[in-house]
Amino acid sequence: MAQCVQSVQEFLQDSFVPLVAALCSEEAERLARRNNLGFAELLKPFCRLTSEDPNNQLHIIKNLKIAVNNIITHPPQPAAIRKLLNEVVSVSQPAEGLVANVITAGDYDLNISVSSSEPEPVEQFLKLSQEQHRIQHSSEYMYPKWFIPNTLKYYVLLHDVSTGEEQRADSIYEEMKQRYGTQGCYLLKINSRVSNRGMDEQIPDPWSQYLQKNTIQNQDCYEDCSYAVISNKSTDHLISDGLDNEIKDGLSNNFKTHPLQLDHPSGSLDSTDYLKATTSLQESKKLNSGMPHGACLTLTDHDRIRQFIQEFTFRGLLPHIEKTIRQLNDQLISRKGLSRSLFSATKKWFSGSKVPEKSINELKNTSGLLYPPEAPELQIRKMADLCFLVQHYELAYSCYHTAKKDFLNDQAMLYAAGALEMAAVSAFLQPGAPRPYPAHYMETAIQTYRDICKNMVLAERCVLLSAEILKSQSKYSEAAALLIRLTSEDSDLRSALLLEQAAHCFINMKSPMVRKFAFHMILAGHRFSKAGQKKHALRCYCQAMQVYKGKGWSLAEDHINFTIGRQSFTLRQLDNAVSAFRHILINDSKQPPAQQGAFLREYLYVYKNVTQLSPDGPLPQLPLPYINSSATRIFFGHDRRPAEGEKQAATHVSLDQEYDSESSQQWKELEEQVVSVINKGIVPANFQPTQFCLNRYSDNSRFPLAVVEEPITVEVSFRNPLKVPLLLTDLSLLWKFQPKDFSTKHDEAKEPGKCDDDMIGTEAIAEFLINSEETKVARLKLFPHQTGELHILGVVYNLGTVQGTVTLDGIDPSIGLQEGKFVSNGLSVRGRQDLEIQGPRLNNTKEEKTSIKYGPDRRLDPIITEEMPLLEVFFINFPTGLLCGEIRKAYVEFVNVSKCPLTALKVVSKHPEFFTFGGNTAVLTPLSPSASENCSAYKTVVTDPTSVRTALLSSASSVDFGVGTGGQPEVINVPLPDSVLLPGASVQLPMWLRGPDEEGVHEINFLFYYESVKRHSKIHRVLRHTAVICTSRSLHIRATVCRSNALEDDEGRGDNMLVFVDVENINTSEAGVKEFHIVQVSSNSKHWKLQKSVNISEDKDTKLASREKAKLCFKAVRCKNSEENYTFADIVFGNEQIISSASPCADFLFQSLSSELKKTHVQSHTHGSQRAVKQSFDEAVRLVQRCSEVDLNVVVLWKAYVVEDNKQLILEGQHHIALNTVGKEAFSFPQKQGFKKILGSSDWEDLEQELPEMALLKFFRPESTPGPARPTPEQLSSLIKTSLHYPESFSHSFHQKSLCLVPVTLLLSNCSQAVVDVMIDLRHKTTSPEALEIHGSFTWLGQTQYKLQLKSQEVYSLQLKACFVHTGVYNLGTPRVFAKLADQVTLFETSQQNSMPALIIINNI
């Protein structure tokens, strides 16, 4: 809202001022024009002063202002008024300047000026006076209006002091004083020659603020012939005020025209007058253009003009007003017989009976009633006007009030409305506020003007005055209601001004009504727009936008922004237009698709115009589509090759894979393992895992590495928020590049050009369509050809729309649109969007936790390194489904697709037991996969039929199979020829696979590690592959080892065991499996070996159909000690022996046992490092524990017959069972939960009955210094193995001899590696009656207690005699055997119990 520097009182005073007409001779006007001013313009800045009241009492008049205008004989026409109003509004702040220009009014006195350079100045005065009299009293001229017939004439002699004719001017002035009196004339001296003052001397220009409006208002007045010609000063009295015009002197007796009507259709302008006025105006415009005002006047001239105005006012105007007031007072007294002193009898005038006022609705339309000039009602109105002009508001109010009653009595409604209006203003302007402002007077006046008189101009003036008064009293609500009430459809500009003022009333209330303010500003902006006031319409919408913005009223925001964009574009404020349309597009719009399409087309059209203004400027930022910068992904390397038949490329990493934090951690651990092996067990401190794909979850704190000649793919996520499709064309990346070895820096972001192709190649997407409300990713590539630093800044593209995107019958035609099948509508703009990625929130230090800081995100700033080797891996005949334990042979092809040789190729996996490349002893497999079809994956030999079920021995070292060396068993060397793969070379190697023991889908990760042959290059490279294998159930195997009762084997050795193997087919015909054949059982150990099969069945092999079981029994004996090699014993059930000590059988066996071997290897190093003299208590315990350890590995090899596509296939496989402890059952798949899943609930219940019971958990408080572990009783009982040799039955004649003596041999075998002290006690301890009843009683004769010492592995025979007294069945297993280590105390002594009773039958002959 434009703030007026004047108070409302000053504003009202300046709205009603005395008007003085200036009539100049041509010479006087020419003299004034030397200063680029007319005579009336010359006086304007000096028209404020003070005066005295009519009773010669000092009456201070604050800021009295007079208006001096040229005489204009033609009234302003309505069309001209409307045009002028439009022009005034277009160049000013609203309302304030407008109000002053519109409502200023008044009647004229005369100021006649003649130049002293005239040949006969006095005669010229006479001519001008006669001209004025003719204009005033002739019926030809209806304009201007004169206050009274006896008009004040003031004669001014204008003298140019630069001419030097001072005496002539003085003599003429003396003659004037004699003719017109000293108070009726004046000599005004001014300078009309430019002085030679210096450039530093600045003379103020007080005319600019007054004349600027005139220049603006008249710049187009005479360029359009449809508008009437008006004077250069007509802006000061366009609209009459309704209080002066009705009492003008010289009114014609012809009442055809109403004095308050501004339309005068009584005559048209003379064409000659029109041409003269047009010519003079154009000349004045030429003179005014580019020339300063008052350039010839000095400060002394300013004072002279000011003194002239003072003299005119004090000696001419005010005395004339005072005289007129007295005359009017006398006339009123004489006509109405009132008191002689009007000023002392004011109360008496108005103390009479009150005339009842009629309702406005009851009054008939009498707006056409006019009074003659001598009517008393007009005389009192004239007196009130004069009092008002000299700021005697109390007296003016009394007179207006009296006139108002008279007019209402006569039902002269137009006069009554004018009196009411001025009475209200006078009451408000009275000092001290003796009475409240009568707002109802104004309301009645407004209603009368508008409804009865049909005079909207006067109603507007009345509303503006009343609104200003109400606002000064903080009655903003009443003021707003007045302003809104006067809006109508007949004038858009007027309604716009009133609505805007009403809006500002709402915002200035004590409790601001913000939404009403915004709503009425929108209405005002709309009316401004209809009136052609684009600037003011834009301003109103912008102010309203401040209220609606961010409130969630999206439709209102869209409307406002669209209008702002339209208006800004019309005003060529293109940046504002772009910003407004941009807001429409980036907000979540609820507009229908058709409207959104219109918004988008408007935006593109505006943007196109903006870019055409500066085609060489920087690319603009486009708002569409949205880019999710944080979702940007960067991929380094070539795309994955598709599978070709049986040849499948390594999965590696691609942008199609979703990020998995768990998987990412696994790959990191695998890489750490292989790097640790390369660096001899140490992971370098600066190690960073290789990252092929960078995203929001990866560690982006370091600059990523890219390799020359390998593409960089950037995946950008676009989202179209609109319901219409967007078409992006020529989409590419924006980047800057700094070569590593060049001094020239390419620092400016630029689109890829021809000059940059040798450094960075850029791939562009010709067309990229994003359907409505679709999120879509674009993959853009860069091809670095030079080392250096690359910075990816953003994307650049042409934004456009697709033809025919308007919906028909509710169907969106954009649905199903595909690239290459649409046509652009031709309207597109080129721009860019930056990729700005915020790094992760820092939360490490205290400072970071207490503030908001973000770390760097460098995924878009790769460093281009030199060329590196690049490996591609292909898998041939790689299966997707296997049986558990199935062995399958596949091939792996390694290809070096770079220009650098690679070496140190290794593969690491968390599941090394899944695959093998073969041991060092394996025979090289043919390179061609087709050559090994239908051949066994094992190394086999034909066996001799006599050797069936007898062990065939062989040996091998675990080192040959890459395990047991103390390294990481997961890291496997790939056996490349010469350990180097040259550029472009490829090699195929066999790979044996074994199905995991657990049923289900398995993801097995392979990480291939390789390096460049360049030693200075510290950068390694990796290749990832994830194999997905689905395994089906096959066999479930349980095994137990127990000591044999036979103390000696065939070779006379006293240590042998029995191995029981239970095999169950748990396959339920899955994968078409028909039956399983057990073709071979092998053992692997450094201490034990299988000797033979003791099965009763004579079948060569064991066949198992679905859900069938089989039990196998084998004899195991101790083999010769070998610290290096393992002994393999193969028991063959068929015609071919599978050499278990060769690949791949031994590979999978050793890999499955790698953790145990690693543990043993570490322990052996630990024990070896200890001193021999330190035989501690723990070592003794270990010796006892090792007596029950077996360390025997059993391998069950099988074949499965599968029917697939009416063909029978033979599958091979093997299961491993690790037997560690005597008497403890072992499983091929140890997880109990896995069993239950495999076997099913019913079978699991059966199995649970056979499984050993689980021991209860025991909770105890650990000691502060835990003691050494004690051997368990079971372990101590295994130190000595005992066996009784005796006849099963013995016949004796008790009749001949009452005592029967039977010889019994007790064999004692030391199972440990240490010397053991043994004590045998033959005394009976069995006192249980049941035992006596069952087994009978006998006695041992001879020595009943023995103490022996057995060496390591020694077998001792002790001869005993048992004595029986009668026949029966006896248990000879009563001897108690105690054992302890020879060098230990009896703490470990325990009893040795036989595993079964030794029964003997005594018969009588």
Side-chain angles (χ1 to χ4, degrees), residues 1304-1364:
V1304 177
T1305 303
L1306 176 62
L1307 289 178
L1308 302 172
S1309 175
N1310 183 3
C1311 297
S1312 69
Q1313 302 292 327
V1315 178
V1316 178
D1317 291 337
V1318 182
M1319 186 180 72
I1320 300 98
D1321 188 0
L1322 300 179
R1323 292 173 297 174
H1324 280 284
K1325 293 293 183 181
T1326 303
T1327 58
S1328 171
E1330 293 81 3
L1332 291 175
E1333 181 180 348
I1334 294 173
H1335 303 297
S1337 177
F1338 71 97
T1339 184
W1340 296 98
L1341 296 182
Q1343 185 177 348
T1344 59
Q1345 197 168 27
Y1346 297 88
K1347 286 188 177 181
L1348 305 172
Q1349 188 175 69
L1350 300 181
K1351 297 180 181 179
S1352 173
Q1353 305 292 329
E1354 182 182 356
V1355 179
Y1356 184 81
S1357 178
L1358 183 64
Q1359 301 297 326
L1360 303 176
K1361 286 186 179 181
C1363 178
F1364 304 90

Side-chain angles (χ1 to χ4, degrees), residues 635-692:
F635 177 72
F636 301 98
H638 296 278
D639 293 336
R640 177 194 172 197
R641 291 190 182 182
E644 299 176 0
E646 295 297 327
K647 195 172 183 181
Q648 177 187 1
T651 57
H652 195 45
V653 182
S654 71
L655 289 171
D656 296 326
Q657 301 169 357
E658 294 294 332
Y659 177 81
D660 182 9
S661 59
E662 183 178 352
S663 174
S664 177
Q665 182 63 26
Q666 290 178 4
W667 289 117
K668 179 181 177 181
E669 292 173 358
L670 289 176
E671 191 170 353
E672 283 181 351
Q673 285 184 356
V674 67
V675 170
S676 173
V677 170
I678 295 297
N679 290 275
K680 300 179 180 179
I682 300 173
V683 178
N686 60 347
F687 166 74
Q688 282 292 316
T690 305
Q691 298 186 102
F692 296 96

